[in-house]
Amino acid sequence: MSVNRRAHILGATGGVPVGSGGSDDVPRERRSQAERRLQTRRALLDAALEQLEAGVGFDSLSLRQVARVAGVVPAAFYRHFAGMDELGLALVDESVLTLRAMLRQAREDQAQRADPGHVIARSVAILVRHVREHRRHFAFLAHARASGNAVLRQAIRAETKLFASELATDLARFPILREWTTPDLQMLAGVFVDQMIAAIDSILEASSWGPGPLTLTPESQAEITARTEKQLRLIALGIPHWRSRP
Amino acid sequence: MSVNRRAHILGATGGVPVGSGGSDDVPRERRSQAERRLQTRRALLDAALEQLEAGVGFDSLSLRQVARVAGVVPAAFYRHFAGMDELGLALVDESVLTLRAMLRQAREDQAQRADPGHVIARSVAILVRHVREHRRHFAFLAHARASGNAVLRQAIRAETKLFASELATDLARFPILREWTTPDLQMLAGVFVDQMIAAIDSILEASSWGPGPLTLTPESQAEITARTEKQLRLIALGIPHWRSRP
DNA sequence: TGTACATCAGTGAACGCGCGTTCACTGATGTAC
DNA sequence: TGTACATCAGTGAACGCGCGTTCACTGATGTAC
């Protein structure tokens, strides 16, 4: 993996595009200061995500390394974030948008086809696809969730609770759950979210086999999908027999 | 938190106990080399656990800091471990013993009273008690499980799978599960383990409110216990309606 | 349109610090006689 | 029991390194006239 390949995408000094017909993949047209500012910010976020995806923990991420991969001098970092914590919170914001998009898509998919028999299979498929398409965000959330950084950990836990609440609201629309109390719906949403987190962990683990000896045979994506569907179906089987009383 | 309070518990130089009637809490009797060696090793492990418990991630743990808290010079660390990874693996071994002890206790408790109605409540109680009594080990596992250290992560994942398999074996003894296929039992054990992990996270989170602004109201231990019991009961409700076919 | 000045994203050098690792050493514990 | 030597856990000094943060700076972009 080249660590420095983004180096100087913005031009050599003072942020000016150098040369005339560079062979870089970045267009050389004139850009406003605001555009260039956004571009550097993005490069910093991407540099962090890139290393996070490669298995580096957020705690061990260094400001200098992030700046280096982003092709910028360390001091320039401070023009965008007060420190790594602030960058981390920006990543939480981004990642939460991804989560919400996933929930929204599942909701719309659900609304389109009134075919309640396949809700679980379709939801799992959407989950798996989203995790694969937004690996970096999910890898960040999965790791920073348990990281040593209290600020990030707290932020992610808070967002997870919010996510569970939104899911509870969605669940309330199912006829069979209409009579359930709000706390019971929250409890049920909690079970689903816990299983979802476990599934995300499995997917990330299965698709991130870097160097080193494999002591565990990684599960295939199909296996994870099948197992997760089974688990959710088992849980769903209990629902009709739950007596939800205030 | 005093970082240095263990300093020189073993004596000042060459490992010789200094003074004659020290006021330290460590007895000054003559000790064999082997005993002193074990004692320092333990001090190193404890120093690491202490910081892990305080919220420091394993990734950010420094060899020098661990040695300092253990009251030993950095170079002495290498008399016991080749590096932090090896210390981490030793902690995995220890923590896994704690996990097994918990499972064994739940099993014995189960065997003593043939009162199947309270299996869940009693199991949750045992879980909660163990997590509180062995906070440091569980905090280590919960964090290093998602840490940036691939070696530790792998080791813990492997042990988690093993744990789930043992649980599956225990589950097979329940009359209602006697007809289930092995893969289905594994799947069910997986659900329980996932919920257990989530519960452990909650307990650790609830009881580790260090400094900093509280944006989330921490759940009380009673709330966590009640919620976990509910979740497991819901899952159990589905069991009789699952058709397990080869 | 042309000119003079302001803004500000990114630069490059410098700082002090804690880190992991190495090394020859010390001196109490352990052992052979 | 007494003596001479071996073992080896822990010492302390040293090393080079990457880190986060600061600072005055540069020079292209943006703006007022």
Side-chain angles (χ1 to χ4, degrees):
Chain A
M1 277 288 171
S2 77
V3 143
N4 232 345
R5 65 180 157 74
R6 284 180 205 275
H8 300 117
I9 55 169
L10 300 177
T13 62
V16 55
V18 290
S20 50
S23 60
D24 253 15
D25 49 350
V26 175
R28 287 294 189 207
E29 332 98 57
R30 221 157 254 246
R31 256 169 257 113
S32 73
Q33 278 194 14
E35 279 169 332
R36 320 187 93 267
R37 183 167 159 72
L38 269 178
Q39 196 174 337
T40 302
R41 186 188 142 95
R42 185 95 295 275
L44 288 167
L45 292 169
D46 285 340
L49 285 169
E50 185 175 312
Q51 289 162 89
L52 257 8
E53 188 184 2
V56 183
F58 186 85
D59 297 340
S60 345
L61 223 54
S62 97
L63 184 152
R64 284 184 101 102
Q65 175 73 354
V66 167
R68 201 175 303 131
V69 174
V72 124
V73 113
F77 183 98
Y78 295 101
R79 297 264 180 230
H80 300 273
F81 306 103
M84 287 298 292
D85 273 19
E86 206 172 290
L87 179 139
L89 290 174
L91 288 179
V92 172
D93 286 349
E94 276 198 9
S95 305
V96 162
L97 289 183
T98 300
L99 272 184
R100 280 206 214 302
M102 183 177 79
L103 199 56
R104 193 179 333 117
Q105 188 174 332
R107 200 179 291 140
E108 285 166 2
D109 178 278
Q110 227 319 88
Q112 278 173 17
R113 42 184 69 219
D115 182 2
H118 297 128
V119 178
I120 288 178
R122 297 189 61 84
S123 298
V124 172
I126 289 173
L127 173 69
V128 171
R129 183 153 45 77
H130 261 78
V131 174
R132 294 180 67 220
E133 285 176 3
H134 306 278
R135 249 191 84 67
R136 305 189 313 170
H137 282 155
F138 283 93
F140 166 69
L141 288 176
H143 174 273
R145 195 172 188 284
S147 84
N149 185 315
V151 174
L152 281 194
R153 217 171 41 211
Q154 277 264 74
I156 293 176
R157 304 266 159 175
E159 294 292 349
T160 306
K161 281 203 176 181
L162 218 61
F163 183 87
S165 284
E166 287 184 39
L167 179 58
T169 307
D170 287 353
L171 289 174
R173 298 209 181 87
F174 284 84
I176 200 172
L177 295 170
R178 204 153 281 158
E179 301 298 321
W180 282 39
T181 63
T182 301
D184 278 1
L185 279 175
Q186 291 277 353
M187 179 274 290
L188 178 61
V191 177
F192 285 140
V193 170
D194 290 345
Q195 292 305 124
M196 190 185 89
I197 291 173
I200 291 171
D201 274 356
S202 299
I203 298 168
L204 292 173
E205 187 197 357
S207 55
S208 74
W209 291 95
L214 297 187
T215 57
L216 266 62
T217 314
E219 276 182 302
S220 75
Q221 184 191 298
E223 283 168 338
I224 296 171
T225 304
R227 179 169 52 84
T228 304
E229 281 184 19
K230 266 189 163 186
Q231 292 177 328
L232 296 184
R233 264 171 34 224
L234 172 65
I235 294 166
L237 278 182
I239 293 178
H241 306 94
W242 183 263
R243 9 170 212 97
S244 186
R245 298 274 179 292
Chain B
M1 277 289 171
S2 76
V3 143
N4 232 347
R5 65 181 157 73
R6 283 183 207 274
H8 299 118
I9 54 171
L10 300 179
T13 63
V16 57
V18 291
S20 49
S23 59
D24 253 16
D25 47 352
V26 175
R28 287 294 188 207
E29 333 94 62
R30 222 159 255 247
R31 254 168 259 116
S32 73
Q33 276 194 16
E35 279 171 331
R36 319 188 92 269
R37 185 168 156 71
L38 268 180
Q39 196 174 337
T40 301
R41 187 188 141 95
R42 185 96 294 276
L44 288 168
L45 292 169
D46 285 340
L49 285 170
E50 185 176 311
Q51 288 163 89
L52 257 9
E53 188 185 1
V56 182
F58 185 85
D59 297 340
S60 343
L61 224 54
S62 96
L63 184 152
R64 286 184 99 102
Q65 175 73 356
V66 167
R68 201 174 303 129
V69 174
V72 122
V73 111
F77 182 98
Y78 295 102
R79 296 265 180 229
H80 301 271
F81 305 102
M84 287 298 291
D85 273 19
E86 206 172 290
L87 180 140
L89 290 174
L91 289 179
V92 172
D93 286 349
E94 277 198 7
S95 304
V96 162
L97 289 184
T98 300
L99 272 184
R100 281 207 214 299
M102 184 177 80
L103 199 55
R104 191 178 334 116
Q105 188 174 334
R107 200 178 291 139
E108 285 165 3
D109 179 278
Q110 226 318 90
Q112 280 173 15
R113 42 184 70 221
D115 181 3
H118 295 128
V119 178
I120 288 177
R122 297 188 61 85
S123 299
V124 172
I126 289 171
L127 173 69
V128 172
R129 183 154 45 77
H130 261 78
V131 174
R132 294 181 67 219
E133 286 175 4
H134 305 277
R135 247 191 86 66
R136 305 188 312 170
H137 282 156
F138 282 94
F140 166 68
L141 288 175
H143 174 273
R145 191 171 192 284
S147 84
N149 185 316
V151 175
L152 281 194
R153 218 171 41 209
Q154 277 265 74
I156 294 177
R157 304 265 159 175
E159 294 293 349
T160 305
K161 282 202 176 181
L162 219 61
F163 183 88
S165 283
E166 289 185 39
L167 180 58
T169 307
D170 287 351
L171 289 174
R173 299 208 181 87
F174 284 84
I176 198 173
L177 296 172
R178 205 152 282 160
E179 301 299 319
W180 282 39
T181 63
T182 302
D184 277 1
L185 280 175
Q186 291 277 355
M187 179 276 290
L188 177 62
V191 177
F192 284 141
V193 169
D194 290 346
Q195 291 305 126
M196 191 185 89
I197 291 173
I200 291 171
D201 273 356
S202 299
I203 297 168
L204 291 172
E205 186 196 359
S207 56
S208 75
W209 291 96
L214 298 186
T215 57
L216 265 63
T217 314
E219 277 183 302
S220 76
Q221 183 192 300
E223 283 168 338
I224 295 171
T225 304
R227 178 168 53 83
T228 303
E229 283 184 19
K230 266 189 162 186
Q231 293 178 328
L232 296 184
R233 265 170 34 222
L234 172 64
I235 293 165
L237 279 181
I239 293 177
H241 305 95
W242 184 262
R243 21 183 196 93
S244 188
R245 297 275 180 294

PDB file of all heavy atoms in Angstrom, chain A residues 44-56:
ATOM      1  N   LEU A  44      -8.153  14.634   4.409  1.00  0.00           N
ATOM      2  CA  LEU A  44      -7.790  14.256   5.775  1.00  0.00           C
ATOM      3  C   LEU A  44      -8.716  13.162   6.293  1.00  0.00           C
ATOM      4  O   LEU A  44      -8.264  12.153   6.847  1.00  0.00           O
ATOM      5  CB  LEU A  44      -7.846  15.487   6.694  1.00  0.00           C
ATOM      6  CG  LEU A  44      -6.723  16.513   6.492  1.00  0.00           C
ATOM      7  CD1 LEU A  44      -7.035  17.823   7.220  1.00  0.00           C
ATOM      8  CD2 LEU A  44      -5.386  15.948   6.976  1.00  0.00           C
ATOM      9  N   LEU A  45     -10.026  13.352   6.101  1.00  0.00           N
ATOM     10  CA  LEU A  45     -10.991  12.341   6.550  1.00  0.00           C
ATOM     11  C   LEU A  45     -10.730  11.005   5.843  1.00  0.00           C
ATOM     12  O   LEU A  45     -10.726   9.945   6.476  1.00  0.00           O
ATOM     13  CB  LEU A  45     -12.420  12.814   6.268  1.00  0.00           C
ATOM     14  CG  LEU A  45     -12.902  14.019   7.092  1.00  0.00           C
ATOM     15  CD1 LEU A  45     -14.215  14.563   6.542  1.00  0.00           C
ATOM     16  CD2 LEU A  45     -13.063  13.640   8.559  1.00  0.00           C
ATOM     17  N   ASP A  46     -10.481  11.086   4.539  1.00  0.00           N
ATOM     18  CA  ASP A  46     -10.226   9.856   3.776  1.00  0.00           C
ATOM     19  C   ASP A  46      -8.952   9.170   4.248  1.00  0.00           C
ATOM     20  O   ASP A  46      -8.891   7.946   4.328  1.00  0.00           O
ATOM     21  CB  ASP A  46     -10.132  10.165   2.277  1.00  0.00           C
ATOM     22  CG  ASP A  46     -11.501  10.423   1.665  1.00  0.00           C
ATOM     23  OD1 ASP A  46     -12.504  10.004   2.268  1.00  0.00           O
ATOM     24  OD2 ASP A  46     -11.566  11.045   0.593  1.00  0.00           O
ATOM     25  N   ALA A  47      -7.939   9.972   4.530  1.00  0.00           N
ATOM     26  CA  ALA A  47      -6.675   9.397   5.000  1.00  0.00           C
ATOM     27  C   ALA A  47      -6.904   8.634   6.297  1.00  0.00           C
ATOM     28  O   ALA A  47      -6.380   7.533   6.488  1.00  0.00           O
ATOM     29  CB  ALA A  47      -5.641  10.502   5.211  1.00  0.00           C
ATOM     30  N   ALA A  48      -7.704   9.206   7.189  1.00  0.00           N
ATOM     31  CA  ALA A  48      -8.010   8.527   8.454  1.00  0.00           C
ATOM     32  C   ALA A  48      -8.793   7.253   8.183  1.00  0.00           C
ATOM     33  O   ALA A  48      -8.447   6.177   8.680  1.00  0.00           O
ATOM     34  CB  ALA A  48      -8.789   9.461   9.369  1.00  0.00           C
ATOM     35  N   LEU A  49      -9.822   7.336   7.361  1.00  0.00           N
ATOM     36  CA  LEU A  49     -10.660   6.170   7.063  1.00  0.00           C
ATOM     37  C   LEU A  49      -9.835   5.052   6.426  1.00  0.00           C
ATOM     38  O   LEU A  49     -10.023   3.872   6.722  1.00  0.00           O
ATOM     39  CB  LEU A  49     -11.806   6.564   6.130  1.00  0.00           C
ATOM     40  CG  LEU A  49     -12.947   7.344   6.787  1.00  0.00           C
ATOM     41  CD1 LEU A  49     -13.901   7.910   5.746  1.00  0.00           C
ATOM     42  CD2 LEU A  49     -13.710   6.462   7.768  1.00  0.00           C
ATOM     43  N   GLU A  50      -8.916   5.455   5.562  1.00  0.00           N
ATOM     44  CA  GLU A  50      -8.086   4.473   4.869  1.00  0.00           C
ATOM     45  C   GLU A  50      -7.293   3.630   5.869  1.00  0.00           C
ATOM     46  O   GLU A  50      -7.233   2.406   5.762  1.00  0.00           O
ATOM     47  CB  GLU A  50      -7.130   5.209   3.924  1.00  0.00           C
ATOM     48  CG  GLU A  50      -6.276   4.322   3.051  1.00  0.00           C
ATOM     49  CD  GLU A  50      -5.459   5.162   2.070  1.00  0.00           C
ATOM     50  OE1 GLU A  50      -6.044   6.057   1.405  1.00  0.00           O
ATOM     51  OE2 GLU A  50      -4.236   4.934   1.969  1.00  0.00           O
ATOM     52  N   GLN A  51      -6.711   4.303   6.854  1.00  0.00           N
ATOM     53  CA  GLN A  51      -5.923   3.569   7.842  1.00  0.00           C
ATOM     54  C   GLN A  51      -6.808   2.773   8.785  1.00  0.00           C
ATOM     55  O   GLN A  51      -6.479   1.659   9.181  1.00  0.00           O
ATOM     56  CB  GLN A  51      -5.054   4.544   8.625  1.00  0.00           C
ATOM     57  CG  GLN A  51      -3.925   5.086   7.771  1.00  0.00           C
ATOM     58  CD  GLN A  51      -3.337   6.333   8.371  1.00  0.00           C
ATOM     59  OE1 GLN A  51      -2.417   6.261   9.169  1.00  0.00           O
ATOM     60  NE2 GLN A  51      -3.886   7.481   8.028  1.00  0.00           N
ATOM     61  N   LEU A  52      -7.955   3.348   9.134  1.00  0.00           N
ATOM     62  CA  LEU A  52      -8.910   2.638   9.981  1.00  0.00           C
ATOM     63  C   LEU A  52      -9.331   1.340   9.303  1.00  0.00           C
ATOM     64  O   LEU A  52      -9.401   0.277   9.930  1.00  0.00           O
ATOM     65  CB  LEU A  52     -10.143   3.520  10.186  1.00  0.00           C
ATOM     66  CG  LEU A  52     -10.349   4.280  11.495  1.00  0.00           C
ATOM     67  CD1 LEU A  52      -9.155   4.215  12.411  1.00  0.00           C
ATOM     68  CD2 LEU A  52     -10.801   5.692  11.257  1.00  0.00           C
ATOM     69  N   GLU A  53      -9.601   1.432   8.006  1.00  0.00           N
ATOM     70  CA  GLU A  53     -10.032   0.257   7.250  1.00  0.00           C
ATOM     71  C   GLU A  53      -8.928  -0.793   7.215  1.00  0.00           C
ATOM     72  O   GLU A  53      -9.197  -1.993   7.232  1.00  0.00           O
ATOM     73  CB  GLU A  53     -10.390   0.678   5.817  1.00  0.00           C
ATOM     74  CG  GLU A  53     -11.037  -0.428   5.015  1.00  0.00           C
ATOM     75  CD  GLU A  53     -11.279  -0.004   3.577  1.00  0.00           C
ATOM     76  OE1 GLU A  53     -10.909   1.128   3.220  1.00  0.00           O
ATOM     77  OE2 GLU A  53     -11.828  -0.806   2.811  1.00  0.00           O
ATOM     78  N   ALA A  54      -7.684  -0.313   7.200  1.00  0.00           N
ATOM     79  CA  ALA A  54      -6.553  -1.243   7.131  1.00  0.00           C
ATOM     80  C   ALA A  54      -6.296  -1.919   8.472  1.00  0.00           C
ATOM     81  O   ALA A  54      -5.358  -2.701   8.599  1.00  0.00           O
ATOM     82  CB  ALA A  54      -5.309  -0.506   6.661  1.00  0.00           C
ATOM     83  N   GLY A  55      -7.095  -1.588   9.479  1.00  0.00           N
ATOM     84  CA  GLY A  55      -6.974  -2.284  10.746  1.00  0.00           C
ATOM     85  C   GLY A  55      -6.292  -1.503  11.849  1.00  0.00           C
ATOM     86  O   GLY A  55      -6.191  -1.970  12.971  1.00  0.00           O
ATOM     87  N   VAL A  56      -5.816  -0.306  11.538  1.00  0.00           N
ATOM     88  CA  VAL A  56      -5.229   0.539  12.572  1.00  0.00           C
ATOM     89  C   VAL A  56      -6.348   1.045  13.475  1.00  0.00           C
ATOM     90  O   VAL A  56      -7.394   1.473  12.986  1.00  0.00           O
ATOM     91  CB  VAL A  56      -4.501   1.745  11.943  1.00  0.00           C
ATOM     92  CG1 VAL A  56      -3.829   2.575  13.019  1.00  0.00           C
ATOM     93  CG2 VAL A  56      -3.496   1.284  10.914  1.00  0.00           C
TER      94      VAL A  56
END
